[in-house]
Amino acid sequence: MNKLFGLTILTVMFFGAMPSSAQAQYTRQDSLRGSITPERIWWDLTYYHLDVNVDIDNKFISGKNEVHFKVLTPNEVMQIDLQPPMTIDKVLQNGKVLKVRHETNAHFIELTEMQREGAQMQLDIYYSGNPIEAKNAPWDGGIVWSKDKKGNPFVASACQGIGASVWWPCKDHSYDEPDSMLISATVPAELMDVSNGRLRKVDENGDGTKTYHWFVSNPINNYGVNINIGNYAHFSEQYEGEKGSLDMDYYVLKYNLKKAKKQFKQAVMTIEALEHWFGPYPFYEDGYKLVEAPYLGMEHQSSVTYGNGYSNGYKGRDLSSSGWGMKFDFIIVHESGHEWFANNITNIDVADMWIHESFTSYSENLFLDYHFGNKASSEYVIGTRLNIVNDEPIIVDYGVNQRGSIDIYYKGSNILHTLRQIVNDDEKWRQTLRGLNKEFYHQTVSTKQVENFISQQVGINLRSFFDQYLRDARIPVLEYFIKDNTLNARWTNCLTEFDMPLKIRSNGNEHWINPSTEWQALDLNDSIDSIQIDKNFYVGSMDVLGSQKN
Ligand SMILES: [Zn+2]
């Protein structure tokens, strides 16, 4: 989700930084967490039943996770992740206690015997501990133990980045997801737990606690799994969407009910706009929920968490400085946008996280485009360039749980906005975005798959475009001069093969030019004495001879 810093206004850095030559140092723990290790690759997750007891007074979690899996190739050692200070108390397979070798966050479980290819197996992992407390969720992660204004406990998990293994034992890598999941949370009887999917039943335990069982009938990514415990009120509505009637349920603190009924009208507006651009909401079976949480928000699958104070903007501010950012509630739109990009289409490696954040940041201006028109959308996305730093490439290193620069957000959305200009056919562009969600429905994918799909759909080879904007920190600059009423231009500050077409205006006429990295005199069939570059393209420009006459 969104990890925007306190949003210092950053200078637009057209020239950016050169690709970093300093290699980051990675540890064995980074590789164990971030790669598909031999102890992970041989088994395919099919189902989790996470069953947790939340002891709020002692900030203590205990329980078990049933891990169901299919054996892809015979093996007998399985890697499960759980971060200290949480501990694995015991692991059982067919009633037998298994040996476990611990290596900080990774735990290597020796199964009872060599697992037979094709077999469907199960392990029960018992665990407990005082999980890391999130001090500044969602920027850090762990469990938030707080109280609402009336003094009631208000508790939630948030673990993007740090990983789900901060609070429950799992295969903590995004490449593999269970096909479905049951989350059972035992909480004080006067409170309620809201997790993902649909509430299947509530057990009254007779000991001052209740157990809420939430079932998710679709694949779910690890960090999307959540618990939210509070003194909730509930209201709901139906949305007649592209795939039928969508259940939209809202859980908010009782004293915020009135404000929520007003502000959450934007939930339907969001689903309507994003279905138009991205295709059907990807989890009709599990419904859509907006759940108040004691922190800003997160894209928890089918239970989007909300803490934006029931006001528009991002914590009441406009991230674009264009005015348009105050026309919508940032958390409702952004976090719901992730249902398509993060939850439906999930990155296979953290290095590919731009797939989550760039498309979702882009969904903010698609929301504006749908409800307020094209001008609003352009002004917003261009305004968000203030947040771009161009410090390092959007994609850095694979296999080490390392995401790219903060630019996965607004440089990413500007890349997609630029691409929309290049495609120059909004319906084709919309069908491409919808096509992504259909082609990669409920899948974990790589950047290459996304790139290739887009290139194929729009019928343009975008290889150098994506290499430049995703794998290089520099922003291309159009160098030009006008001589004898002719425009001479080339791309610089870029890869040698970069050759993006560009829209310019001259004397009130619109022209497409096709510069390369070699100087060319461009025949525009027009007498040129000045040019304006279409500001929808995220590029720099420089009149090298100061030849422009305006
Ligand atoms: Zn986000």
Side-chain angles (χ1 to χ4, degrees), residues 100-396:
V100 185
R101 182 170 62 78
H102 306 282
E103 202 178 327
T104 317
N105 299 337
H107 307 272
F108 297 95
I109 299 166
E110 293 177 27
L111 303 176
T112 48
E113 58 186 10
M114 184 64 82
Q115 306 289 288
R116 195 169 38 81
E117 187 172 326
Q120 184 67 50
M121 308 299 286
Q122 176 185 340
L123 284 186
D124 295 343
I125 302 170
Y126 291 81
Y127 78 110
S128 60
N130 294 94
I132 290 173
E133 197 166 332
K135 303 282 186 205
N136 188 27
W139 324 129
D140 51 2
I143 302 290
V144 183
W145 308 95
S146 69
K147 290 204 185 317
D148 69 17
K149 283 186 201 157
K150 304 265 183 195
N152 300 304
F154 193 21
V155 173
S157 62
C159 59
Q160 197 211 14
I162 194 167
S165 56
V166 75
W167 70 280
W168 57 284
C170 58
K171 187 188 229 182
D172 204 354
H173 191 291
S174 59
Y175 89 99
D176 194 7
E177 296 181 351
D179 305 323
S180 61
M181 179 166 182
L182 179 62
I183 302 151
S184 303
T186 301
V187 302
E190 65 278 15
L191 301 174
M192 177 180 190
D193 169 65
V194 185
S195 290
N196 314 75
R198 291 184 186 275
L199 184 59
R200 191 178 254 184
K201 64 170 179 159
V202 183
D203 296 330
E204 305 266 359
N205 300 319
D207 60 355
T209 66
K210 283 183 185 172
T211 304
Y212 288 83
H213 301 275
W214 292 87
F215 183 68
V216 183
S217 67
N218 285 304
I220 181 166
N221 57 23
N222 289 334
Y223 78 86
V225 173
N226 76 152
I227 49 171
N228 300 283
I229 303 161
N231 188 28
Y232 284 117
H234 169 234
F235 63 104
S236 64
E237 64 186 317
Q238 297 291 123
Y239 174 65
E240 298 309 317
E242 290 197 10
K243 217 170 137 182
S245 194
L246 175 62
D247 295 323
M248 301 192 59
D249 287 273
Y250 309 105
Y251 293 88
V252 299
L253 293 177
K254 284 185 178 156
Y255 55 79
N256 284 331
L257 185 59
K258 204 174 153 196
K259 279 194 267 185
K261 282 188 170 174
K262 185 163 175 265
Q263 189 74 0
F264 285 8
K265 288 191 190 328
Q266 292 186 42
V268 158
M269 289 175 71
T270 302
I271 300 292
E272 184 184 342
L274 299 186
E275 283 206 329
H276 172 78
W277 280 103
F278 294 157
Y281 172 75
F283 307 104
Y284 270 72
E285 306 76 10
D286 293 324
Y288 168 92
K289 294 196 294 292
L290 203 48
V291 183
E292 185 167 353
Y295 59 89
L296 185 60
M298 180 58 69
E299 66 254 29
H300 297 116
Q301 184 173 312
S302 70
S303 67
V304 170
T305 44
Y306 177 87
N308 201 32
Y310 300 98
S311 58
N312 281 359
Y314 173 90
K315 293 189 192 170
R317 296 197 308 275
D318 177 2
L319 290 185
S320 72
S321 300
S322 68
W324 294 111
M326 296 308 290
K327 295 289 183 192
F328 62 96
D329 186 314
F330 178 92
I331 292 297
I332 295 177
V333 174
H334 182 97
E335 306 309 340
S336 300
H338 276 306
E339 294 283 15
W340 286 264
F341 292 95
N343 297 339
N344 186 34
I345 305 179
T346 304
N347 55 219
I348 200 162
D349 189 293
V350 178
D352 297 311
M353 200 187 249
W354 76 282
I355 298 170
H356 295 193
E357 298 301 348
S358 300
F359 284 92
T360 299
S361 299
Y362 185 57
S363 71
E364 296 156 26
N365 59 288
L366 294 179
F367 172 91
L368 286 169
D369 197 292
Y370 185 85
H371 290 290
F372 298 90
N374 192 266
K375 183 170 175 281
S377 138
S378 288
E379 288 177 1
Y380 178 82
V381 71
I382 291 167
T384 61
R385 288 178 192 165
L386 288 168
N387 308 311
I388 301 175
V389 293
N390 288 317
D391 56 341
E392 60 174 352
I394 278 181
I395 297 176
V396 282

Side-chain angles (χ1 to χ4, degrees), residues 14-161:
F14 272 132
F15 293 87
M18 294 294 289
S20 167
S21 57
Q23 282 296 308
Q25 295 297 308
Y26 296 108
T27 63
R28 174 165 161 79
Q29 279 295 318
D30 293 329
S31 298
L32 287 175
R33 171 71 191 286
S35 64
I36 304 171
T37 61
E39 294 81 12
R40 280 175 170 157
I41 199 166
W42 64 269
W43 54 286
D44 178 34
L45 260 173
T46 54
Y47 177 73
Y48 283 134
H49 176 195
L50 175 63
D51 185 355
V52 291
N53 182 70
V54 184
D55 175 352
I56 295 174
D57 291 341
N58 296 304
K59 298 183 175 180
F60 188 80
I61 285 181
S62 57
K64 73 165 177 173
N65 188 18
E66 278 179 23
V67 180
H68 295 239
F69 60 97
K70 188 178 169 191
V71 181
L72 301 175
T73 50
N75 205 307
E76 53 191 335
V77 181
M78 170 185 280
Q79 179 183 339
I80 286 289
D81 306 278
L82 183 67
Q83 300 176 36
M86 301 303 286
T87 55
I88 290 182
D89 301 324
K90 117 183 124 168
V91 183
L92 295 182
Q93 188 178 31
N94 300 327
K96 284 188 193 154
V97 178
L98 304 181
K99 269 193 208 160
V100 185
R101 182 170 62 78
H102 306 282
E103 202 178 327
T104 317
N105 299 337
H107 307 272
F108 297 95
I109 299 166
E110 293 177 27
L111 303 176
T112 48
E113 58 186 10
M114 184 64 82
Q115 306 289 288
R116 195 169 38 81
E117 187 172 326
Q120 184 67 50
M121 308 299 286
Q122 176 185 340
L123 284 186
D124 295 343
I125 302 170
Y126 291 81
Y127 78 110
S128 60
N130 294 94
I132 290 173
E133 197 166 332
K135 303 282 186 205
N136 188 27
W139 324 129
D140 51 2
I143 302 290
V144 183
W145 308 95
S146 69
K147 290 204 185 317
D148 69 17
K149 283 186 201 157
K150 304 265 183 195
N152 300 304
F154 193 21
V155 173
S157 62
C159 59
Q160 197 211 14

